[in-house]
Amino acid sequence: MENEAINLFHAEDEPMSMSESKRLESLYGIARALHDQDLDVKSILQTALSMTGEAIQAKHGCVITSGLDNLVQDAYILGTSRDAETERRLWNLLINRGLIGFVHHGHRTIIVRDLTTDPRWPVLPDTPLIPRTGSAIGLPLERAGKTLGVMILIHEQVDYFDGESVEMLDAIANIASAAIGNAVEFSSTRASQAHYQWLFKDSIVPIILTDLDGQIVDVNRQTCTLLDYDYKKLTQLQINMIHRMGTGPIGTDRFASLQDGHQIEFRTSAWTSVGGEIPVVVRARRLSFGDRDLIEWVEQDISPQLELEQLRADLTAMVYHDLRGPLHTINSSFSSLGRLLINHEQMTILNLIQVGMRSTRQLSRMIEALLDIQRLEEGRAILNRKQTSLHNLLATAAELVQPLAAEANQHLQFMIDDNLPFLGVDQDMIQRVVINLLENAVKYTPDGGIITLAAGLVDYRVRISVADSGPGIPKNMHRQIFDKFSRVKYHDAPKGIGLGLAFCRLAVEAHGGQIWVESEPGSGSVFIFTLPLEGELAAV
C-alpha cells in the first residue's frame, strides 16, 4: 500500500462531511491500492477494509465471507485481537441474528443509526472489537448478482453515517467487489487450467492439442507412447502428418467444422514414427484456454476392437462351414428315418423323429442367420431376389411354427388381406424373418395365449405384424432388442443369444423396409415390419 494513498485519511478529528475532490481522491487511492494486490482475494479484502476505515475515520469493522451454511468462512478485522474463537462466535451472531445477515439476504446497504435501539443490532458480549454504543453501516460486496461478502463499519458516534458518506462507501464497495470478482475468476480459471493439465498429461488415452490451423502445440505421454515419438518432435508436426483427415466434403470441411465449434468423430489410421499404421477413432473438439483457442484430438486405438471383430468373423465362418455339413447330415438322417418308419405302430418314435427334425431346422436357421448377419453388415447385396407370393410365404412360415404353438397350447390366428401383391424379395430371408418373429411370440406367450399374424397394404407398403399376449417389453428396450446379442432381461425370461431380431432388422432394412416393436409391460408386444412395393407387381 502506498504511503501517499494512506495519508489521505489521517484527519481523525475532521467531521464526516468531505469535499467532492477529497472523496474522489479517496476512491482513486483505494482503487489503485486494490489494483496492486496481484489478484489475491485475502489481500484485497484486508486492504479494502483498512483503507475504508481510514477514509471514514472508523476504528471498528470487518469483512465477512460466509459459506453455504451461512457460517463464517473468513473474517477480516480492523485492528488486532488474540481471541480468534470469540471473534468467530461474534461474527456468527451478527450473521444469524444481526446486521450482517440482513445485508447478506437483503442485497442492499443498511444503516444502524443507534446500536442501542435498533433491533437489527443484537446485544453482544463485551469485546474490544465492537463498541457498545454508536452507529454502524453494512455494505454488500456483490458481483454479477452473487454475494461475495459483507463489509461492516462501526463508529462510536450515534448517527454518524450521512448521505455523502453512504454514497462514497457504496462506491468503495463496488470497487472492492469488482476487484474480488476478478481475483475469484482468475483463481478459478487458473485452477481449471491446472486441473485440465493434470487430466491431460495423465490421461490413459492419447490426446493431441493443436492450434486452429492444425499445428501441434502439446501432446500427452500416451500419445508419445502410441506413436513412438519424442515430445519435441511431435510438437513440430501438423496434425495431418499424424493421421489422415479423410477426403471429399467430410474430410475437407473438418477443420472448418471445428473452427465453428462443432465436434467431429471419424475412423482413420495414425502413423507412427517408423511408418507403421494404427487404426484409430478420432474425436476432436474446439477448446478455449483464456484468450487462446485450441483443438483437442483424442486418438483412441481400436486395434483390439478390430481384432475382436475379426475373431467374430472367423467364428461365424467356422460355424457356417464346419457345422452346416454335419447338421445337414443329421437332418437328412431324421428325414430318412421318418420315411422308413412312417407306418410304425408306436407313434412315440415318430413324434421323437419330428422333434429332432424341427430342432435341426431351427439350428439351420440360426446358422443361416449368422451368415446373413455377417454378409449384410459388410454391405453385400441380397443375392436371391425374385417375385414371391406373400400369401405362400406367410402360409409356409406359419406351417413351420404351428407345431411349436400347439405344444405350448397356444392359438395361432391370421388377419391377412386377400390382395397382397407379389414382391421382388429374397424369399428364404423374408420367410425366416416371419418365422423368427413367430417363434419369439411362442417363447414369450403364456400357455393358452393367442398369437396373431397379420398382413396388408398401408401407404403403398406391405405391412406384416406378429402380435403376442406375453409380458411386454419396456420402452427403453424397444431399439436395443434389435442389436446383436441383446435380449430383454426379466425374471424367468426365455434363454437365447439374441441373434434373431438382429437378423430381422438387417434383412428388412436390406430390402428397403423398416422394423419396430410396439409394446407396453403387461400388455403383450406387436412386432411390425414393412416392405416397399416395386414397379413390377402382380396382384395375387
Side-chain angles (χ1 to χ4, degrees):
M1 190 185 309
E2 300 185 13
N3 290 332
E4 58 177 330
I6 299 175
N7 290 337
L8 293 171
F9 315 125
H10 279 326
E12 296 183 2
D13 298 326
E14 186 180 337
M16 190 57 235
S17 294
M18 285 186 187
S19 66
E20 182 67 20
S21 61
K22 187 158 187 177
R23 283 201 300 271
L24 291 176
E25 283 185 79
S26 301
L27 291 174
Y28 172 72
I30 291 174
R32 187 171 59 176
L34 295 182
H35 181 268
D36 293 339
Q37 298 306 308
D38 196 25
L39 295 175
D40 177 72
V41 174
K42 182 177 180 180
S43 298
I44 289 171
L45 289 171
Q46 194 67 65
T47 299
L49 177 63
S50 60
M51 293 188 70
T52 304
E54 291 275 359
I56 66 168
Q57 304 168 28
K59 299 179 180 179
H60 306 277
C62 67
V63 172
I64 297 294
T65 60
S66 60
L68 297 176
D69 54 3
N70 282 338
L71 295 178
V72 171
Q73 191 173 54
D74 288 302
Y76 304 91
I77 314 300
L78 271 179
T80 59
S81 173
R82 298 178 182 178
D83 192 348
E85 185 58 32
T86 299
E87 287 179 10
R88 188 165 295 273
R89 287 200 305 269
L90 178 66
W91 302 123
N92 277 331
L93 183 61
L94 284 173
I95 286 178
N96 295 322
R97 293 167 47 196
L99 181 59
I100 297 175
F102 283 103
V103 174
H104 177 84
H105 295 293
H107 305 282
R108 63 189 179 89
T109 299
I110 295 177
I111 300 172
V112 174
R113 299 189 180 279
D114 190 339
L115 301 183
T116 62
T117 60
D118 196 306
R120 293 169 297 187
W121 193 265
V123 177
L124 300 175
D126 288 333
T127 171
L129 292 172
I130 298 177
R132 298 189 63 83
T133 61
S135 54
I137 186 170
L139 303 145
L141 304 178
E142 296 184 323
R143 177 74 179 271
K146 181 181 179 182
T147 300
L148 306 173
V150 174
M151 180 184 291
I152 299 293
L153 294 163
I154 307 162
H155 198 277
E156 296 177 355
Q157 179 180 320
V158 173
D159 203 12
Y160 179 75
F161 300 98
D162 59 15
E164 291 182 353
S165 65
V166 172
E167 182 179 345
M168 188 182 77
L169 288 171
D170 281 335
I172 292 173
N174 289 334
I175 294 171
S177 297
I180 296 166
N182 292 336
V184 170
E185 289 177 6
F186 175 77
S187 177
S188 176
T189 301
R190 185 166 53 185
S192 296
Q193 290 181 347
H195 183 62
Y196 180 82
Q197 283 295 322
W198 174 74
L199 292 174
F200 168 69
K201 292 296 184 182
D202 293 335
S203 174
I204 63 174
V205 296
I207 302 176
I208 300 172
L209 297 179
T210 71
D211 61 21
L212 298 186
D213 295 321
Q215 175 64 46
I216 296 175
V217 298
D218 203 357
V219 298
N220 67 351
R221 285 185 285 270
Q222 285 293 335
T223 303
C224 297
T225 301
L226 176 70
L227 302 179
D228 195 25
Y229 273 99
D230 62 47
Y231 177 85
K232 184 176 181 180
K233 178 64 176 177
L234 268 176
T235 53
Q236 296 172 351
L237 303 178
Q238 289 275 332
I239 190 65
N240 58 11
M241 300 176 68
I242 297 301
H243 57 61
R244 297 182 179 90
M245 292 296 294
T247 57
I250 294 177
T252 54
D253 289 341
R254 278 178 178 151
F255 269 111
S257 296
L258 289 166
Q259 290 166 356
D260 291 338
H262 299 290
Q263 297 188 31
I264 63 172
E265 178 176 333
F266 58 96
R267 181 179 289 197
T268 185
S269 294
W271 295 302
T272 68
S273 62
V274 294
E277 291 194 17
I278 300 172
V280 293
V281 168
V282 179
R283 298 179 180 86
R285 59 175 177 163
R286 180 171 175 169
L287 299 174
S288 294
F289 288 91
D291 59 350
R292 186 180 190 187
D293 285 351
L294 300 174
I295 298 176
E296 175 192 67
W297 308 78
V298 179
E299 314 273 333
Q300 181 183 352
D301 182 3
I302 58 172
S303 299
Q305 178 182 334
L306 294 182
E307 290 173 2
L308 181 59
E309 290 177 0
Q310 185 60 49
L311 179 62
R312 287 178 177 172
D314 293 343
L315 176 61
T316 301
M318 181 274 292
V319 168
Y320 177 67
H321 293 292
D322 294 351
L323 296 185
R324 198 180 187 195
L327 191 59
H328 179 73
T329 302
I330 294 171
N331 190 52
S332 299
S333 299
F334 276 124
S335 298
S336 298
L337 280 173
R339 288 192 298 270
L340 289 173
L341 301 173
I342 192 169
N343 295 320
H344 198 279
E345 58 185 19
Q346 295 187 21
M347 292 301 297
T348 303
I349 294 177
L350 294 176
N351 290 337
L352 289 173
I353 292 174
Q354 290 296 322
V355 170
M357 292 179 67
R358 286 200 301 271
S359 297
T360 55
R361 282 197 296 268
Q362 187 177 13
L363 283 173
S364 294
R365 286 196 299 273
M366 289 176 62
I367 291 173
E368 294 295 334
L370 278 170
L371 179 66
D372 286 335
I373 286 174
Q374 181 185 18
R375 177 159 55 88
L376 293 170
E377 285 184 331
E378 291 172 353
R380 293 158 59 187
I382 297 172
L383 301 178
N384 300 312
R385 280 186 184 270
K386 62 181 179 180
Q387 292 300 306
T388 301
S389 167
L390 291 180
H391 273 290
N392 293 341
L393 185 151
L394 296 173
T396 302
E399 182 181 354
L400 291 172
V401 178
Q402 178 63 48
L404 292 175
E407 286 180 6
N409 192 28
Q410 296 163 351
H411 178 61
L412 187 59
Q413 64 181 19
F414 306 92
M415 299 176 63
I416 300 175
D417 291 355
D418 294 333
N419 61 340
L420 290 181
F422 278 75
L423 280 185
V425 297
D426 185 319
Q427 178 177 341
D428 177 66
M429 189 175 286
I430 297 302
Q431 184 172 284
R432 281 191 284 125
V433 169
V434 178
I435 290 172
N436 278 339
L437 296 180
L438 287 171
E439 287 182 342
N440 269 358
V442 171
K443 287 180 185 178
Y444 289 95
T445 298
D447 185 60
I450 297 174
I451 298 169
T452 303
L453 174 62
L457 291 175
V458 178
D459 296 331
Y460 304 102
R461 299 174 78 85
V462 174
R463 185 180 191 272
I464 300 171
S465 65
V466 175
D468 62 49
S469 50
I473 300 170
K475 196 165 186 177
N476 65 311
M477 293 288 295
H478 285 191
R479 292 177 62 87
Q480 182 180 336
I481 57 175
F482 291 101
D483 295 335
K484 279 193 303 184
F485 311 113
S486 177
R487 307 190 76 253
V488 179
K489 297 179 177 65
Y490 62 85
H491 183 63
D492 294 332
K495 303 300 182 184
I497 59 175
L499 287 176
L501 291 177
F503 162 73
C504 291
R505 176 180 62 82
L506 290 169
V508 169
E509 290 176 353
H511 283 81
Q514 295 177 306
I515 186 169
W516 68 94
V517 64
E518 296 175 356
S519 179
E520 293 289 342
S523 302
S525 304
V526 183
F527 284 86
I528 305 162
F529 70 93
T530 61
L531 297 172
L533 299 178
E534 295 181 348
E536 57 272 8
L537 298 180
V540 176

